[in-house]
Amino acid sequence: DADVTQTPRNRITKTGKRIMLECSQTKGHDRMYWYRQDPGLGLRLIYYSFDVKDINKGEISDGYSVSRQAQAKFSLSLESAIPNQTALYFCATSDRRGGQEELFFGEGSRLTVL
Amino acid sequence: LAKTTQPISMDSYEGQEVNITCSHNNIATNDYITWYQQFPSQGPRFIIQGYKTKVTNEVASLFIPADRKSSTLSLPRVSLSDTAVYYCLVGAIWGMNRDDKIIFGKGTRLHILP
């Protein structure tokens, strides 16, 4: 079983619909992240959370919201989806080792907004 | 956050050593350097991390000159399966800057030819 699990893996929806992407982890990490990837643009940070009570905006948070329901769960919502939110979304957790930080990614959620 | 600059793409042949250089001219004293590998439709995967001089693991080596304004990821004897996008990131040592966040650039698309 994957340590970082994203659901759904694929979703097609229509403009204006509310969408939630869920992420759960079994690694016991405090830090969790949501990234978006578009072809040729690398990964862009949407939101990140250092613990259950600490949520922060990333590079491109407009049009998105998040909820950290528990240490293990971090959900990303699109309140009213639009076509330019069509992308591959990744959830990640991070851990520190010797004072440094390593990211662990889920398998991604591919979202298509028509 | 230190901005990074990498080549957009590189080609090489199986069995060759590949070196990918990343520039980070405004790296801060507390920043470390991390490289990730990403295959299509998968999340990035940690390769190697370092602060200065040379770091080697079973997958790659990371060379960092004394001024730390650049770093070079070295992949020995590449194979077709090393075809991927490679990202160079710089970020603060955990705990030194709690507001720091992990930002990806566009990466280097490495294509290994037979």
Side-chain angles (χ1 to χ4, degrees):
Chain A
D1 288 339
D3 294 322
V4 182
T5 303
Q6 294 183 228
T7 56
R9 294 291 312 281
N10 288 283
R11 180 74 183 268
I12 299 174
T13 190
K14 295 182 178 180
T15 298
K17 295 292 186 180
R18 183 178 187 275
I19 295 297
M20 178 180 286
L21 305 180
E22 299 185 344
C23 178
S24 63
Q25 52 121 342
T26 59
K27 300 188 76 68
H29 294 166
D30 287 327
R31 294 188 171 197
M32 297 187 73
Y33 305 78
W34 275 104
Y35 287 91
R36 165 181 173 161
Q37 186 167 40
D38 299 274
L41 293 182
L43 283 86
R44 292 183 289 169
L45 181 62
I46 307 173
Y47 272 95
Y48 60 106
S49 170
F50 288 168
D51 60 45
V52 175
K53 298 180 181 179
D54 187 340
I55 293 177
N56 306 278
K57 292 182 177 181
E59 304 170 86
I60 54 163
S61 59
D62 288 347
Y64 301 95
S65 63
V66 291
S67 174
R68 185 81 184 266
Q69 301 94 324
Q71 185 205 38
K73 296 185 182 296
F74 191 36
S75 299
L76 176 72
S77 293
L78 289 68
E79 296 300 326
S80 181
I82 56 178
N84 75 2
Q85 290 178 313
T86 293
L88 182 57
Y89 291 85
F90 287 103
C91 173
T93 70
S94 69
D95 181 30
R96 57 177 169 174
R97 299 186 302 174
Q100 298 176 351
E101 189 167 8
E102 176 180 347
L103 284 170
F104 298 86
F105 283 83
E107 296 179 334
S109 295
R110 186 171 298 279
L111 176 65
T112 302
V113 183
L114 302 176
Chain B
L1 289 172
K3 181 179 178 180
T4 61
T5 302
Q6 308 174 230
I8 294 174
S9 65
M10 295 178 63
D11 290 340
S12 188
Y13 291 92
E14 279 193 294
Q16 299 292 310
E17 177 185 79
V18 172
N19 296 309
I20 305 174
T21 297
C22 178
S23 297
H24 28 80
N25 291 321
N26 58 341
I27 189 169
T29 301
N30 296 333
D31 286 342
Y32 56 90
I33 300 153
T34 312
W35 285 80
Y36 285 83
Q37 175 192 56
Q38 184 182 26
F39 298 114
S41 298
Q42 294 184 24
R45 182 183 69 164
F46 174 93
I47 300 176
I48 198 166
Q49 191 171 72
Y51 184 78
K52 61 181 180 180
T53 63
K54 177 183 176 182
V55 179
T56 297
N57 61 22
E58 64 277 7
V59 177
S61 295
L62 178 59
F63 298 91
I64 305 169
D67 66 6
R68 304 202 325 124
K69 293 183 181 300
S70 66
S71 59
T72 299
L73 173 72
S74 181
L75 305 173
R77 297 181 299 282
V78 295
S79 64
L80 296 175
S81 63
D82 292 314
T83 294
V85 178
Y86 293 81
Y87 296 95
C88 165
L89 287 74
V90 294
I93 295 171
W94 185 293
M96 299 302 292
N97 183 353
R98 191 175 184 279
D99 293 328
D100 207 0
K101 46 191 177 292
I102 301 176
I103 301 293
F104 285 76
K106 296 182 180 180
T108 297
R109 190 171 299 274
L110 176 64
H111 186 205
I112 305 301
L113 303 167

